[in-house]
Amino acid sequence: MRKTDWWKDAVIYQIYPKSFCDSDGDGIGDIKGIISKLDYLEKLGIDAIWLCPIFKSPQADNGYDISDYTDIDPMFGDMADMEKLIKEAKERNIGIILDMVLNHSSDEHPWFKEAKKSRDNKFHDYYVWRDNKDGQLPNDMRATFGGPAWTYVPEVDRFYFHQFAIAQPDLNWDNPELREELYRIMNFWIEKGVCGFRFDVIDQVAKEPDNKVTANGANLHDYLREMNLKTFHGKNLVTVGETWSATTDTAKLFSNPDGSEFSMVFQFEHILLDQIPGKEKWDLAPLKLTELKKVMNKWQTELYGKGWNSLFWNNHDLPRIVSRWGNDSDEFREVSAKMLATILYGMQGTPYIYQGEELGMTNADLDIKDCKDIETLNMYAERLEKGYDVEDVMTSIHARGRDNARTPMQWNDTENSGFTTGEPWLKVNDNYKHINALDEDVDQNSVLNYYRALIKLRKKYDVFKDGRYVDLLPTDERVYAYERKGEKYTLTVVCNFTKENDVPVNISIPDKDKLIISNYCDAGDDKLLRPFESRMYMSIM
Ligand code: TEU
């Protein structure tokens, strides 16, 4: 039995099953492949795996379009494999977190197939419909993956609402029977022994399309508290909601320490800092370090004692952080990947590692013909039609496309990076010959061994969990320095966010403080930092 709030000391590892490890040579990762890598994960030191959707799905959006919530997609294996994964992970003290996509289902879910048949069908009201008035769309809302958020179904002479793809009809949470079905599904998995859930776009479930409201509808927190009570409440599970709309105020509700909603949420305020404000993620802008600090400072201080942060740079929707805010050249890739990890791992919250981040995996620079992601492909077509320059569109895709994160995991330097013996569903990044887990395992200075060391440190000192955060250099555009003040210890983190050399650190580190980790092999100078140098000091008060 895990102790209460175990997730506050935990590190969570995210697996994108399609790209993690293929056991049967069909070019697609699978559950047996994951089982074969549990020893690797145990050695890394993680406590839980967030598994992206493995449920039955036509894969219009790589599993985020579910057609059966209590069965496994044959592409990934079967229920016996899943049970084995839960059991074998548990033997290594690793829990399995399932990805619940409850805002929408697949259009091939039996509920939707029934719903389309007639307005009188019991399942019709499981979805969000508006009448056809003279062939006009109900309103001008747009779907995240392009086009209108409404699609017409002639059989019922109505439009259904979808915030994402046409193949992802939104579920109607205002229907209590639908909510009960969802709770049954969650309880089914709780009984199978999972250790928690990640909830896809959960702030968007209480939509009010007539008011053009998607996130934070009036009923949202009532629904979430009901779901909590009827499913995971009091069961010591970890729960994390994906909430693009979260502010520190709403996050205090979502992650209320009274346990009424979730353990924590993913918020994206920092992630949105390098795009042109008010525009789309494809409209690139440079990141300003002081702006990043402002956002991190706000989340670190406002949630202190009142909520809980999740700490992440990466996931399956985001570009690789070393290519984004670090530097993926041969010269600086390793130091900058470690520097970025250091900034995050000193903070309060639960860190998430997205597969390959612990190796310093980079963006992929895929040709458009090799891209597979629905969001990227739809945007490409849409922007070219609008007359955008093809080179500009490709620059955006290389910087932000979701396939960057989805190229297969780089296990070793054999063909296809040891990911598959077949033809991989998405091209392997060519750099697997020198960026791979096998080499990094034995290289004491690898990014992988740095992550292992950071995880060990977090387990060793309570200050990582409890220390109070203070930004030490809020106006410095090059150095990120903060401290965490605990009862016994003070942790100080100092990072050069640039490739410049001899960058002065305008704070003094007491002589008695001990350097507990750094991304350069030799001692260096605590007053002048080398490119991307990062240092963590610990003091006893
Ligand atoms: O993502 C939510 C979401 O809004 C994303 O579409 C996000 O805006 C975009 O990827 C940023 O580029 C979740 C899942 O994480 C994503 O994989 C799914 O495609 C999406 O929901 C729909 O289920």
Side-chain angles (χ1 to χ4, degrees):
M1 187 67 187
R2 294 180 171 216
K3 69 176 198 278
T4 316
D5 292 354
W6 58 271
W7 39 268
K8 290 191 174 173
D9 306 300
V11 175
I12 298 175
Y13 188 90
Q14 183 190 353
I15 289 184
Y16 199 66
K18 236 179 147 170
S19 303
F20 192 63
C21 181
D22 173 22
S23 72
D24 59 5
D26 66 355
I28 297 171
D30 47 44
I31 297 174
K32 285 199 176 86
I34 298 172
I35 295 173
S36 75
K37 297 296 181 188
L38 285 172
D39 289 340
Y40 168 83
L41 297 173
E42 184 181 23
K43 189 166 176 196
L44 179 55
I46 57 120
D47 303 275
I49 294 169
W50 151 23
L51 197 57
C52 284
I54 35 64
F55 312 103
K56 215 168 234 171
S57 159
Q59 305 289 326
D61 183 20
N62 282 352
Y64 285 88
D65 49 318
I66 298 171
S67 55
D68 187 343
Y69 289 85
T70 52
D71 205 355
I72 304 297
D73 197 283
M75 163 171 116
F76 295 127
D78 57 22
M79 191 58 87
D81 294 332
M82 188 65 199
E83 286 165 354
K84 188 163 178 223
L85 172 63
I86 295 171
K87 181 171 162 281
E88 296 213 0
K90 202 171 269 173
E91 282 164 16
R92 294 167 174 83
N93 287 319
I94 296 174
I96 301 292
I97 298 170
L98 290 185
D99 203 327
M100 290 280 127
V101 188
L102 307 181
N103 175 69
H104 44 269
S105 73
S106 159
D107 60 348
E108 292 185 28
H109 195 292
W111 297 338
F112 192 68
K113 288 188 180 162
E114 287 297 311
K116 289 196 300 194
K117 285 185 184 160
S118 92
R119 295 183 183 203
D120 306 324
N121 192 293
K122 161 175 158 28
F123 295 100
H124 187 72
D125 192 48
Y126 274 30
Y127 294 86
V128 181
W129 301 93
R130 292 296 178 267
D131 286 345
N132 173 26
K133 291 193 189 121
D134 310 322
Q136 299 286 314
L137 294 172
N139 62 30
D140 62 0
M141 291 174 84
R142 308 281 300 169
T144 303
F145 297 151
W150 300 98
T151 293
Y152 183 66
V153 176
E155 291 89 327
V156 290
D157 191 25
R158 286 184 128 181
F159 292 88
Y160 69 87
F161 182 61
H162 52 90
Q163 298 186 58
F164 295 91
I166 294 172
Q168 293 167 303
D170 266 60
L171 290 163
N172 176 20
W173 277 59
D174 295 333
N175 180 326
E177 282 175 47
L178 177 267
R179 298 203 304 277
E180 288 297 332
E181 296 259 21
L182 300 179
Y183 307 153
R184 264 197 291 279
I185 289 163
M186 288 172 59
N187 286 325
F188 170 89
W189 287 109
I190 291 173
E191 272 169 37
K192 292 241 176 254
V194 301
C195 82
F197 299 106
R198 176 257 187 194
F199 296 96
D200 194 58
V201 292
I202 198 70
D203 54 341
Q204 294 171 219
V205 298
K207 48 239 147 192
E208 300 170 13
D210 298 325
N211 305 324
K212 297 194 189 175
V213 167
T214 52
N216 296 309
N219 293 326
L220 178 64
H221 293 281
D222 286 343
Y223 291 159
L224 298 185
R225 287 188 202 118
E226 177 189 272
M227 172 170 88
N228 171 308
L229 283 176
K230 295 202 168 187
T231 59
F232 54 83
H233 193 82
K235 296 184 181 149
N236 211 14
L237 302 191
V238 60
T239 49
V240 50
E242 186 204 23
T243 54
W244 283 79
S245 72
T247 61
T248 46
D249 284 336
T250 58
K252 285 181 212 166
L253 294 174
F254 288 127
S255 67
N256 194 326
D258 71 3
S260 55
E261 295 192 18
F262 302 133
S263 316
M264 66 193 113
V265 286
F266 292 125
Q267 62 82 18
F268 294 86
E269 222 182 312
H270 57 307
I271 294 299
L272 301 174
L273 289 172
D274 58 356
Q275 69 189 50
I276 301 173
K279 297 262 208 133
E280 295 182 75
K281 73 176 202 177
W282 309 107
D283 302 304
L284 316 175
L287 173 75
K288 234 179 142 201
L289 180 60
T290 46
E291 293 299 315
L292 176 65
K293 291 182 194 179
K294 253 190 231 157
V295 168
M296 299 311 252
N297 296 351
K298 182 170 73 177
W299 283 88
Q300 285 291 302
T301 49
E302 290 190 22
L303 260 54
Y304 190 79
K306 302 198 172 121
W308 193 252
N309 276 294
S310 53
L311 304 171
F312 72 97
W313 298 131
N314 272 118
N315 67 31
H316 63 294
D317 295 331
L318 303 175
R320 294 283 181 181
I321 198 63
V322 67
S323 300
R324 185 181 194 175
W325 294 346
N327 183 311
D328 61 11
S329 68
D330 285 347
E331 191 178 4
F332 296 127
R333 184 185 65 85
E334 289 181 300
V335 271
S336 67
K338 293 174 190 174
M339 181 278 290
L340 287 159
T342 313
I343 290 189
L344 216 57
Y345 279 63
M347 291 187 182
Q348 187 181 49
T350 302
Y352 288 76
I353 300 174
Y354 176 68
Q355 65 183 46
E357 187 178 1
E358 78 281 16
L359 306 176
M361 274 177 63
T362 67
N363 277 353
D365 282 352
L366 294 172
D367 287 344
I368 194 67
K369 66 171 176 28
D370 293 321
C371 289
K372 294 277 158 64
D373 173 33
I374 184 171
E375 181 185 56
T376 298
L377 297 174
N378 288 358
M379 178 286 276
Y380 181 81
E382 206 168 87
R383 287 204 165 185
L384 288 196
E385 206 180 292
K386 283 187 187 153
Y388 279 73
D389 182 78
V390 70
E391 269 180 40
D392 291 344
V393 174
M394 285 316 294
T395 302
S396 298
I397 291 175
H398 288 152
R400 293 284 190 282
R402 303 197 297 184
D403 287 323
N404 280 312
R406 301 177 180 182
T407 60
M409 182 71 177
Q410 294 169 203
W411 292 109
N412 57 45
D413 66 1
T414 64
E415 207 189 345
N416 293 321
S417 71
F419 159 71
T420 181
T421 54
E423 183 70 28
W425 74 277
L426 178 66
K427 250 183 96 180
V428 178
N429 193 320
D430 292 332
N431 61 22
Y432 72 89
K433 291 237 152 76
H434 65 279
I435 305 175
N436 64 66
L438 190 69
D439 288 352
E440 294 200 25
D441 180 46
V442 291
D443 172 2
Q444 279 322 300
N445 296 318
S446 65
V447 181
L448 176 60
N449 276 310
Y450 192 83
Y451 268 87
R452 288 172 175 160
L454 280 179
I455 293 172
K456 277 207 186 91
L457 283 173
R458 283 187 71 96
K459 308 263 176 208
K460 186 164 165 195
Y461 298 102
D462 280 347
V463 63
F464 284 97
K465 192 168 79 179
D466 305 325
R468 199 176 265 280
Y469 171 99
V470 183
D471 183 351
L472 301 172
L473 292 170
T475 59
D476 197 311
E477 277 303 348
R478 293 185 291 176
V479 179
Y480 198 148
Y482 63 86
E483 98 189 344
R484 301 279 311 284
K485 250 190 192 341
E487 276 181 17
K488 275 204 330 240
Y489 298 100
T490 297
L491 167 76
T492 308
V493 178
V494 181
C495 295
N496 176 5
F497 210 83
T498 73
K499 63 175 178 189
E500 292 166 42
N501 200 8
D502 289 338
V503 174
V505 180
N506 296 317
I507 50 167
S508 54
I509 307 290
D511 285 344
K512 64 175 177 46
D513 282 15
K514 197 176 140 209
L515 183 67
I516 53 167
I517 192 165
S518 136
N519 59 354
Y520 278 77
C521 308
D522 55 338
D525 181 343
D526 56 25
K527 291 259 165 269
L528 280 182
L529 298 179
R530 290 164 281 182
F532 298 108
E533 184 164 1
S534 57
R535 305 165 71 89
M536 267 188 183
Y537 304 90
M538 191 68 81
S539 82
I540 299 178
M541 286 198 272

